[in-house]
């Protein structure tokens, strides 16, 4: 997925949450508020049923809002007695934890709860508490049902339902204290003595809520893995799904989200992935120090050949008291493989260039800057520091009789008339003598309009070959002269 598509998806999620929030807060009465919540939630989660289960003062509950597909049995208004709830779940929901079932047919559960799910035709569910008021009183539950099949609830879906539950709780806090809601809610089951809070507090709370939603959604859609631990009590304060993917602990994710596991509980499942455990343990020791305020960046080698970059920094409260650490993990295996391949390629090329003795030049055409390798300069008797990276260094040393021909061949290649630039010319050395050079090169990059940008080539000293060619030429000339003389003499004798 590209960055642009990530941003588009993120924007779409935030738009949906914003739309639901506005409709909830603009509701005329409690019934409308709850109905909007279940209808919009069912649509965005694309599930078969969403209900609001509201608790009664006696401890039982009723379905006070429902959005359900036509093919499934409606349960709106039903009083539901669940003897398992008070014994097994009430304290967990009161603590803000959620629950989920991926497949009711394959997940062990109390008979009373299994019977309830079967009666409601539930195959999978996701249950989020609705905690209202400053003291977080348990108003009820918002429950998503999948009736036609099992369902693997995704981390993003869990976060979304959690956000909707939080937003509904904020709206309920204000609505149940509003004069316009009092008459309408007298027939609704509620036992919440909620204090009215000042408008400024409400505004600040809303701003904080949206900031939290934005950060949550960005973390859930990021390719980076986030993990926050409270080092005072080993609690896992935050993590995203990518963290579980990188460390191979997706099977622990649901329990981590419910708060059932601490940091030390997940470590045994992570250790088998670490290639050098002793080195990893040593690298973790500085992270436990309260005095170490430095952001730590290092790499962890995994047994499956992955390379994971780790960032870690302290977390301190408003009074600058240390209480935990933030970890960010990134899988950089692909990047490292590319870097290694480039390194090997560069080393091979460097070895080939040095071994051949050829001089290399790299011409940046727009700036007229030319990088001449040390071999190129040494070929003419110069030290590396004695020749600048400029085209004039070549132009000023080319033999006057050879300059025009060289520029003609360069121009042909720049215009695309030849596949490769090839020219033989003489260059002046530091001692004033000239060497014959075989100059070859090629355009390696062009702009969108086709204009050349970068031109790379090699210099080969062919002076010895030229001396041999000259000697052969002189020898052939003498032979031709001798042959001409003999031919003339023979002609004279035969006349």
């Amino acid at each position: 997925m590209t960055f642009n598509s990530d941003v588009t998806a993120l924007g779409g999620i935030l738009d949906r949450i914003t739309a639901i929030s506005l409709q909830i807060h603009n509701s005329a009465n409690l019934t409308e508020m709850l109905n909007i919540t279940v209808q919009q939630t069912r649509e965005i989660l694309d599930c078969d049923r969403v209900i609001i289960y509201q608790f009664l003062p006696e401890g039982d509950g009723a379905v006070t809002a429902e959005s359900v597909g036509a093919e499934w049995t409606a349960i709106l208004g039903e009083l539901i007695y669940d003897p398992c709830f008070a014994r097994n779940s009430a304290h967990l929901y009161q603590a803000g934890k959620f629950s989920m079932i991926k497949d009711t047919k394959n997940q062990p559960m109390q008979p009373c709860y299994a019977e309830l799910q079967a009666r409601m035709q539930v195959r999978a569910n996701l249950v989020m508490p609705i905690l209202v008021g400053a003291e977080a009183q348990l108003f009820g539950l918002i429950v998503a049902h999948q009736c036609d099949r099992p369902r693997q609830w995704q981390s993003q879906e869990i976060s979304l339902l959690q956000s909707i539950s939080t937003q509904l709780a904020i709206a309920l806090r204000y609505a149940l204290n509003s004069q316009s809601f009092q008459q309408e809610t007298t027939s609704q089951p509620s036992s919440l003595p909620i204090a009215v809070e000042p408008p400024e507090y409400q505004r600040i709370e809303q701003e904080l809520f949206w900031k939290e939603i934005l950060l949550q959604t960005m973390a859930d859609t990021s390719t980076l893995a986030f993990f926050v631990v409270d080092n005072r009590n080993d609690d896992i304060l935050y993590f995203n799904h990518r963290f579980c993917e990188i460390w191979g602990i997706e099977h622990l994710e649901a329990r981590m989200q419910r708060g059932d596991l601490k940091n030390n509980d997940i470590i045994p499942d992570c250790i088998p992935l670490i290639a050098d455990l002793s080195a990893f343990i040593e690298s973790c020791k500085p992270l436990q120090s309260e005095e170490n305020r430095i952001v730590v960046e290092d790499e962890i080698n995994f047994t499956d050949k992955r390379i994971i970059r780790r960032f870690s920094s302290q977390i301190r409260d408003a009074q600058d008291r240390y209480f935990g650490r933030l970890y960010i993990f990134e899988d950089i295996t692909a990047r490292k493989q590319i870097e290694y391949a480039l390194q090997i390629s560069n080393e091979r090329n460097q070895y080939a260039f040095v071994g051949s003795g050829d001089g290399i030049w790299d011409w940046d055409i727009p700036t007229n800057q030319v990088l001449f390798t040390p071999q190129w300069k040494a070929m003419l008797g110069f030290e590396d520091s004695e020749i600048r990276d400029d085209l004039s260094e070549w132009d000023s040393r080319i033999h006057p009789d050879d300059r025009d021909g060289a520029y003609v061949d360069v121009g042909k290649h720049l215009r695309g008339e030849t596949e490769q630039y090839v020219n033989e010319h003489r260059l002046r050395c530091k001692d004033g003598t000239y060497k014959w050079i075989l100059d070859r090169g090629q355009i390696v990059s062009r702009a969108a309009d086709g204009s050349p940008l970068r031109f790379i080539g090699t210099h080969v000293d062919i002076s010895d070959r030229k001396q041999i060619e000259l000697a052969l030429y002189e020898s052939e000339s003498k032979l031709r002269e001798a042959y001409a003389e003999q031919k003339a003499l023979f002609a004279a004798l035969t006349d």
Side-chain angles (χ1 to χ4, degrees), residues 62-186:
V63 179
T64 55
E66 178 186 34
S67 176
V68 62
E71 63 272 35
W72 308 107
T73 302
I75 57 175
L76 178 63
E78 283 196 21
L79 292 171
I80 298 177
Y81 171 66
D82 183 1
C84 301
F85 179 79
R87 185 171 62 252
N88 301 323
S89 305
H91 67 288
L92 297 176
Y93 291 131
Q94 183 63 66
K97 299 179 180 180
F98 70 94
S99 68
M100 64 178 173
I101 296 175
K102 302 173 185 177
D103 188 354
T104 55
K105 294 184 178 181
N106 295 323
Q107 184 162 331
M109 62 184 73
Q110 294 288 335
C112 55
Y113 192 60
E115 181 183 348
L116 176 63
Q117 298 301 318
R119 182 165 60 83
M120 293 189 295
Q121 303 171 300
V122 176
R123 188 68 185 273
N125 71 11
L126 177 60
V127 184
M128 198 69 61
I130 305 169
L131 300 170
V132 182
E135 297 182 1
Q137 298 179 65
L138 188 58
F139 172 87
L141 307 171
I142 180 169
V143 187
H145 288 163
Q146 192 69 41
C147 300
D148 62 342
R149 55 182 168 81
R151 178 161 177 168
Q152 176 71 46
W153 300 100
Q154 302 300 312
S155 175
Q156 194 174 54
E157 295 170 335
I158 296 169
S159 298
L160 191 143
L161 190 60
Q162 202 165 33
S163 300
I164 293 173
S165 172
T166 303
Q167 188 66 1
L168 176 60
I170 293 172
L172 283 169
R173 176 186 304 181
Y174 308 135
L176 293 174
N177 286 275
S178 171
Q179 199 67 24
S180 61
F181 275 74
Q182 293 303 317
Q183 183 64 31
E184 196 276 333
T185 57
T186 54

